[in-house]
Amino acid sequence: MHDHRRLGRELDLFDTDRLIGAGLPYWLPDGAVVRHALEEYVREAERRAGYRHVYSPVLGKRELYEISGHWAHYSEDMFPPMELGGEQVVLRPSLCPHHALIYRSRPHSYRELPLRMAELGGMFRAELSGVLGGLTRVRAIQLNDAHVFCTLEQVAGEARAALDLIRRAHRDLGITGARYRLSLPGPGGKYVAAPEKWRRATELLTEVLNASGVEYEAVEGEAAFYGPKIDVQVADGAGRESTLSTVQVDFHQPEQFGLEYTGPDGAKHRPVMVHRAVIGSVERAVAHLIEQHGGAFPAWLAPVQLVVLPVSEAELPHAEQLVARSLEAGLRAELAGPELGSLGARIRQARLVPYQAVLGAREAADGAVALRLRDGRQVPGVSVDGLLARIGAVAAGRWADLWEEGTPPAP
Ligand SMILES: [Zn+2]
């Protein structure tokens, strides 16, 4: 495992500035490409799984968090409130209360359930400056969050579907070695008191984990303040574990916000909220991807997918043309011309780029390239058309292999 803080700076992915502040990294263009590809992946996967996306503001009135329970159970992690026109507003510590209000803003029938609401939205955590560094402990977080409002009978199915979404995402992202944890309340924690609800939620999640066949460990003291959760844990370079993905069952917030739907009997019923994050925070997910892949991202995530290397000045026009065609085909391509040094030096410089297309006199005359793959394989005399089609297929299919469509690793 690599250290994402060092690699992030070396590869120009992100950085920080004392004047912006600790725990507030900014994203450089190459890092922004990775983040954008990841966010698009998540939105597409969610759309396919029946989620609809919303946007909600990063601020809310203090009263909102008093109702949700964050103020009583979570305020140590929240930023202090701001006085504004005689009111107090706070930077939000989660997206759930906003989503509960969006649900509440319209009447709902049982026919609309399960109603799946997703957002990649900003949230804030008042981390102490001592633990800040890189992308893993940040104060401004972009969260991949979603809430499924459903009936009690639908909870297990929705939690199972969320777990499937998580496993598929880990496979597509090349994340291996994740560990599953059933996070339960422990002694002394700030949990909402409702023993019957905790028992039922724990039962449901246990059932889902057992049915999914994954190995898991039950750990006390790791639950959310409003309910138990399934956490998918990954380790960083120093062996520290953190939660990447999560599925939670919540009876508390629907109660707090008085959420309702009209049942087949014409009466009002209370939905359950299933909270789930496929990649958790975008910051932590990218940090983990940097460490897991050592900067050699899968082709579909790579900041630059194809580098074009003309052997000499004579092939420069052909090289420029290939870059233009690649961009036109939707690929991320760059030119590394002879002014940047010897061919060998340029190849070393581009060692993390999945596809390195060398253009000599013969290739230029044939409309072909001599292709080098990042993993050391060489494919001589590939036609330009064939090259673009293949890279496009690898990226669109999110193949783990750079050239052959193989069987993806088991989830
Ligand atoms: Zn939530």
Side-chain angles (χ1 to χ4, degrees):
M1 279 281 198
H2 302 256
D3 178 357
H4 83 278
R5 288 169 298 188
R6 190 180 55 76
L7 268 178
R9 286 189 183 90
E10 264 174 39
L11 303 177
D12 292 331
L13 300 176
F14 66 88
D15 215 332
T16 50
D17 191 295
R18 209 171 45 80
L19 277 178
I20 299 174
L24 298 167
Y26 55 84
W27 298 71
L28 293 158
D30 277 355
V33 168
V34 177
R35 172 170 166 170
H36 189 253
L38 183 63
E39 292 185 353
E40 256 321 290
Y41 169 81
V42 168
R43 287 202 183 94
E44 189 196 318
E46 287 174 339
R47 273 194 299 272
R48 286 170 190 259
Y51 288 81
R52 309 223 37 218
H53 292 94
V54 296
Y55 287 107
S56 57
V58 297
L59 290 157
K61 280 162 67 171
R62 171 178 165 164
E63 197 187 341
L64 174 60
Y65 303 101
E66 288 173 350
I67 295 171
S68 71
H70 285 87
W71 201 261
H73 300 280
Y74 197 73
S75 56
E76 285 154 31
D77 291 299
M78 290 167 67
F79 276 78
M82 289 172 261
E83 301 289 338
L84 191 70
E87 291 178 335
Q88 288 195 330
V89 290
V90 292
L91 288 165
R92 66 176 170 188
S94 81
L95 279 58
C96 332
H98 283 82
H99 288 191
L101 293 182
I102 293 174
Y103 177 88
R104 197 173 76 176
S105 69
R106 301 286 183 277
H108 297 286
S109 144
Y110 70 95
R111 289 188 199 86
E112 295 166 64
L113 307 188
L115 189 152
R116 307 181 186 94
M117 191 186 293
E119 180 173 2
L120 272 155
M123 57 163 275
F124 299 82
R125 188 173 293 154
E127 295 272 12
L128 296 173
S129 59
V131 297
L132 299 172
L135 294 177
T136 44
R137 302 296 291 267
V138 294
R139 289 171 165 167
I141 297 160
Q142 192 74 6
L143 192 71
N144 158 234
D145 202 7
H147 299 95
V148 183
F149 301 87
C150 62
T151 67
L152 184 60
E153 294 70 40
Q154 293 168 333
V155 169
E158 287 303 308
R160 201 176 309 129
L163 214 50
D164 286 345
L165 201 59
I166 289 168
R167 292 162 84 181
R168 205 169 325 128
H170 286 201
R171 186 194 65 198
D172 288 341
L173 292 162
I175 294 171
T176 53
R179 292 170 3 103
Y180 290 74
R181 184 177 82 187
L182 177 61
S183 299
L184 303 169
K190 286 190 159 192
Y191 305 105
V192 297
E196 178 51 23
K197 286 173 181 163
W198 281 90
R199 195 189 57 73
R200 240 156 69 189
T202 304
E203 228 169 60
L204 281 164
L205 289 180
T206 306
E207 184 190 312
V208 167
L209 278 169
N210 289 340
S212 74
V214 294
E215 272 186 42
Y216 68 93
E217 190 189 359
V219 179
E220 287 190 355
E222 298 289 349
F225 73 80
Y226 47 78
K229 51 194 179 116
I230 297 172
D231 288 324
V232 187
Q233 304 291 107
V234 291
D236 70 5
R240 278 181 302 253
E241 258 201 16
S242 61
T243 302
L244 190 64
S245 318
T246 182
V247 182
Q248 315 173 1
V249 176
D250 179 8
F251 294 103
H252 173 71
Q253 297 200 41
E255 194 77 43
Q256 291 301 105
F257 286 99
L259 305 186
E260 290 176 338
Y261 66 90
T262 307
D265 56 358
K268 303 283 186 204
H269 298 269
R270 185 130 293 157
V272 184
M273 267 169 94
V274 176
H275 307 238
R276 57 104 284 223
V278 176
I279 56 158
S281 90
V282 170
E283 288 80 9
R284 184 165 282 176
V286 172
H288 185 70
L289 289 170
I290 294 170
E291 299 195 344
Q292 173 109 47
H293 297 295
F297 296 101
W300 68 275
L301 275 174
V304 178
Q305 296 167 315
L306 170 67
V307 62
V308 181
L309 303 142
V311 173
S312 72
E313 295 284 336
E315 293 84 34
L316 208 46
H318 282 91
E320 284 166 352
Q321 217 174 35
L322 175 52
V323 170
R325 275 196 61 190
S326 306
L327 295 174
E328 187 70 22
L331 302 178
R332 300 186 286 273
E334 266 180 14
L335 179 71
E339 77 283 359
L340 296 177
S342 72
L343 186 60
R346 284 181 277 150
I347 288 173
R348 270 195 304 281
Q349 184 66 35
R351 71 192 180 284
L352 293 177
V353 177
Y355 303 94
Q356 302 145 15
V358 178
L359 257 173
R362 202 174 71 206
E363 286 84 14
D366 294 349
V369 301
L371 185 67
R372 306 172 62 97
L373 302 180
R374 181 179 58 200
D375 55 26
R377 280 178 289 170
Q378 303 207 13
V379 193
V382 188
S383 76
V384 164
D385 290 336
L387 173 71
L388 297 187
R390 184 66 68 104
I391 302 176
V394 173
R398 304 193 176 92
W399 300 358
D401 191 276
L402 294 177
W403 201 247
E404 305 294 340
E405 180 176 15
T407 320

